[in-house]
Amino acid sequence: MPPLYTPEERIRRDRSPWTIVQAVLAPLQFFVFLVSLVLVVRYLITGQGHDAATISIVVKTLLLYTIMVTGAIWEKDVFGVYLLHPSFYWEDVFSMLVLALHTAYLVALATGWLDARQQMWLALAAYATYVINAGQFLLKLRAARLSAQSEAYA
């Protein structure tokens, strides 16, 4: 497997201010996701807390948009393209599904296209794709760290 970053890309990654932005936004988004997940499941089980669950999903979605835009800027800084660089191709492709489902939730919320329970189920589907996508990125970053360590010892 080729290294995730060339030496030049690693330097650009380490110098980019967007690396820090991503490092802050990713765990923040995950925390908001966990809180929202609890609120959504609580609503689906008890029928209580609709407004809190809805607000949490909207906040989670806005954070997702923010991390996607800043992530594209980061990718441009490091790799010279905004999206779909070979190093993160499949993560970026799957991110589009994550974005589509979160956006579908916002559309359903704004238009009444689905009732409240259906909206919550749509949010859970969006969250399932988010978890898969986050796992993709974590595995990729772990592989990059292991690759960098093996290079350091070589």
Side-chain angles (χ1 to χ4, degrees):
M1 182 167 127
L4 188 59
Y5 304 101
T6 66
E8 297 81 17
E9 291 166 345
R10 185 172 291 128
I11 290 168
R12 289 193 299 268
R13 178 203 65 193
D14 294 346
R15 288 184 180 163
S16 175
W18 298 104
T19 301
I20 294 171
V21 170
Q22 295 298 291
V24 170
L25 286 177
L28 175 62
Q29 181 184 204
F30 189 73
F31 174 76
V32 171
F33 155 74
L34 290 176
V35 170
S36 185
L37 180 63
V38 168
L39 293 171
V40 169
V41 170
R42 175 179 172 247
Y43 171 75
L44 287 171
I45 291 172
T46 69
Q48 297 176 349
H50 174 268
D51 291 348
T54 299
I55 290 167
S56 73
I57 298 165
V58 170
V59 169
K60 160 69 175 76
T61 302
L62 293 175
L63 277 170
L64 174 67
Y65 288 155
T66 303
I67 202 167
M68 291 302 298
V69 168
T70 58
I73 296 168
W74 172 87
E75 205 165 324
K76 175 73 170 166
D77 261 8
V78 175
F79 299 111
V81 295
Y82 284 105
L83 285 172
L84 304 175
H85 183 271
S87 294
F88 286 96
Y89 181 83
W90 288 111
E91 292 80 2
D92 288 348
V93 167
F94 202 80
S95 291
M96 296 307 144
L97 175 61
V98 176
L99 282 170
L101 286 171
H102 281 77
T103 301
Y105 171 82
L106 292 181
V107 169
L109 179 65
T111 64
W113 166 49
L114 300 173
D115 68 32
R117 289 186 63 76
Q118 291 169 328
Q119 289 173 14
M120 295 298 162
W121 282 108
L122 178 56
L124 286 180
Y127 284 4
T129 61
Y130 163 73
V131 168
I132 293 167
N133 197 225
Q136 286 179 298
F137 279 104
L138 289 173
L139 289 172
K140 183 69 60 120
L141 295 175
R142 182 177 183 275
R145 188 175 324 124
L146 292 174
S147 173
Q149 287 174 350
S150 68
E151 289 173 21
Y153 293 115

